[in-house]
Amino acid sequence: MKLSSIILKIAEKMDGQRSLNASLHVLRGKRSGQTLQDIDYFSVKPYFSLIPKLADSTFAEAVISLQHTGMIKESEGIVTVTEKGKRAAKELGDFQFDGWHYRGREEIFFLRLVLLVQTLSQLRSSRNSFHPITNDRKIQQFVKDVLHTQQVTRTNSARSLAEELLLALKMTGISDLQAILLSHRLTGADASGWTWEQLEESTGESVASLQLEYLEALHRLIAVSERVDAAEKLPILHKLATGIRIETPLTDSTAITKKLFDQELSIDEIAIVRQLKVNTIEDHITEIATNDADFPIDRFVDLADQLAVQQEVRRHRVKRLRLLKDKFPHLSYFQLRLILSTTKGEPV
């Protein structure tokens, strides 16, 4: 799996409507009003915040490879996917990421799993003292609590976890390579988890590609572990998955703004109360609109203007704010973003 493949999938969703930076912001998980609207409007939530620390140079290298192979073109800052690129994107199939709901918390799940495996392995070897794989106190306490809830012997606990992992990996449908990555990253009593460099040498794949494979596999493992029926089928993994999924769609700051908005304060009043810029509050309001099917858009835009913009979007398949602004100069960018946010999911 290559970064360029993921960028191609995102670009295909935004075809002819957004710049390359829009894809970069999605992968990094930028919490701006525009990006939060884009991920919902273009259905790219699975890729949100996949690589928070993605370097500009790494992203640029992947983009150049797509351009050189004739997959994408860029004109006036807007990216379009060529017919060759569309065929390639289709052949790639669907990736099984869930960046929107995990946003980096998948690593917490894996650290819990690694520490539990290490602990059970050490106890099974009658070693009550060892150096834990992580110094995170919260992770350590979580694993202790999981162990205390296990009403079986140490040997049975280790065996039960091994059986759960085998069943869970089968349920995920991940590839052999992904299963190898997950298993080789684990640490036992007499075996340390492999480094990415060791995995690279062993598989012949680049570290960057392996890390994407690992990330997708981890997302799929968490997904089966947090299912309702997993409480019975995968009780240990189900506990490890507790609290990993982010259910609240709003950022903490936006949630505060929403409380004031629900009290019917104006944007200017909210900005004063919160001591934030009006533009920041507008971003918050857009985020609220994106995640609220009953958002009162009539407070900001007349119904006639809403219908006119919606008709323009459907008729000409336009989702670029600048083009909509040219067509409706009397509407602000904020108003246009709200209209797009509240018409998500409708055919265009």
Side-chain angles (χ1 to χ4, degrees):
M1 185 186 303
K2 296 181 179 179
L3 174 60
S4 58
S5 298
I6 295 175
I7 295 174
L8 179 62
K9 296 291 280 190
I10 298 174
E12 182 193 29
K13 294 281 189 178
M14 299 180 172
D15 192 18
Q17 303 293 336
R18 293 291 185 269
S19 66
L20 283 169
N21 276 340
S23 298
L24 178 60
H25 295 331
V26 169
L27 289 169
R28 283 179 174 170
K30 186 176 182 180
R31 302 292 305 198
S32 69
Q34 183 64 62
T35 300
L36 291 171
Q37 177 182 304
D38 283 349
I39 62 171
D40 195 69
Y41 202 77
F42 293 104
S43 301
V44 292
K45 280 187 174 181
Y47 307 106
F48 183 74
S49 197
L50 277 190
I51 317 174
K53 297 181 180 180
L54 178 58
D56 289 341
S57 58
T58 303
F59 180 78
E61 183 180 348
V63 167
I64 290 173
S65 71
L66 289 172
Q67 292 172 329
H68 284 178
T69 53
M71 300 292 183
I72 63 173
K73 292 182 179 180
E74 187 176 14
S75 177
E76 298 182 357
I78 300 300
V79 176
T80 57
V81 180
T82 65
E83 288 302 318
K84 179 181 179 181
K86 291 177 180 177
R87 289 194 299 271
K90 185 176 181 179
E91 291 172 0
L92 285 170
D94 293 324
F95 293 120
Q96 301 297 313
F97 294 108
D98 194 353
W100 175 250
H101 285 116
Y102 299 141
R103 300 180 222 173
R105 292 184 61 80
E106 65 275 340
E107 198 57 33
I108 295 176
F109 171 84
F110 195 67
L111 282 174
R112 291 173 178 176
L113 175 60
V114 170
L115 182 56
L116 180 58
V117 169
Q118 181 192 26
T119 302
L120 289 174
S121 178
Q122 295 285 357
L123 293 177
R124 192 177 184 182
S125 299
S126 300
R127 302 172 187 172
N128 295 319
S129 179
F130 60 92
H131 184 69
I133 192 69
T134 175
N135 293 321
D136 189 312
R137 295 292 184 182
K138 290 183 178 180
I139 300 292
Q140 292 178 2
Q141 186 58 53
F142 189 95
V143 171
K144 286 180 181 179
D145 292 341
V146 170
L147 287 169
H148 289 160
T149 61
Q150 292 299 108
Q151 303 299 319
V152 289
T153 65
R154 294 171 180 175
T155 298
N156 286 341
S157 291
R159 184 182 300 114
S160 296
L161 179 57
E163 290 174 351
E164 279 193 31
L165 280 170
L166 289 174
L167 175 59
L169 292 179
K170 183 178 180 179
M171 291 169 63
T172 62
I174 62 175
S175 67
D176 290 343
L177 172 61
Q178 291 175 326
I180 288 172
L181 293 176
L182 288 178
S183 62
H184 281 57
R185 292 288 291 169
L186 297 174
T187 291
D190 300 307
S192 298
W194 287 31
T195 66
W196 289 112
E197 289 69 25
Q198 288 174 316
L199 289 167
E200 179 181 44
E201 183 177 355
S202 175
T203 63
E205 298 284 342
S206 69
V207 169
S209 294
L210 291 175
Q211 289 176 338
L212 288 173
E213 294 281 2
Y214 160 81
L215 187 59
E216 184 187 47
L218 199 48
H219 282 194
R220 297 178 73 170
L221 178 59
I222 297 172
V224 300
S225 299
E226 65 186 6
R227 281 167 28 178
V228 175
D229 62 349
E232 181 178 349
K233 294 181 178 179
L234 310 167
I236 301 175
L237 290 174
H238 189 65
K239 288 186 178 71
L240 296 182
T242 302
I244 298 301
R245 173 177 287 263
I246 298 174
E247 298 291 356
T248 304
L250 303 179
T251 60
D252 292 341
S253 185
T254 299
I256 296 173
T257 293
K258 187 177 187 305
K259 291 181 179 179
L260 298 172
F261 178 73
D262 290 343
Q263 296 172 21
E264 299 193 356
L265 271 68
S266 69
I267 289 179
D268 289 336
E269 290 171 334
I270 295 174
I272 292 172
V273 171
R274 299 214 54 202
Q275 297 185 351
L276 296 172
K277 294 180 180 179
V278 169
N279 286 346
T280 301
I281 302 302
E282 288 182 345
D283 277 350
H284 290 175
I285 299 300
T286 301
E287 184 180 348
I288 294 168
T290 299
N291 293 283
D292 185 356
D294 298 317
F295 180 81
I297 189 175
D298 292 346
R299 285 173 56 176
F300 302 98
V301 191
D302 291 338
L303 179 59
D305 284 327
Q306 295 176 45
L307 295 175
V309 173
Q310 290 168 359
Q311 185 177 36
E312 179 71 13
V313 169
R314 294 191 187 94
R315 181 180 299 168
H316 300 291
R317 300 184 65 81
V318 177
K319 299 178 185 178
R320 291 172 59 187
L321 287 174
R322 184 175 63 79
L323 296 181
L324 290 174
K325 179 65 174 174
D326 290 342
K327 183 70 175 181
F328 304 96
H330 64 290
L331 296 177
S332 68
Y333 280 108
F334 170 60
Q335 289 173 309
L336 291 170
R337 284 164 56 196
L338 284 182
I339 296 172
L340 292 179
S341 295
T342 54
T343 55
K344 58 184 180 294
E346 296 188 14
V348 296

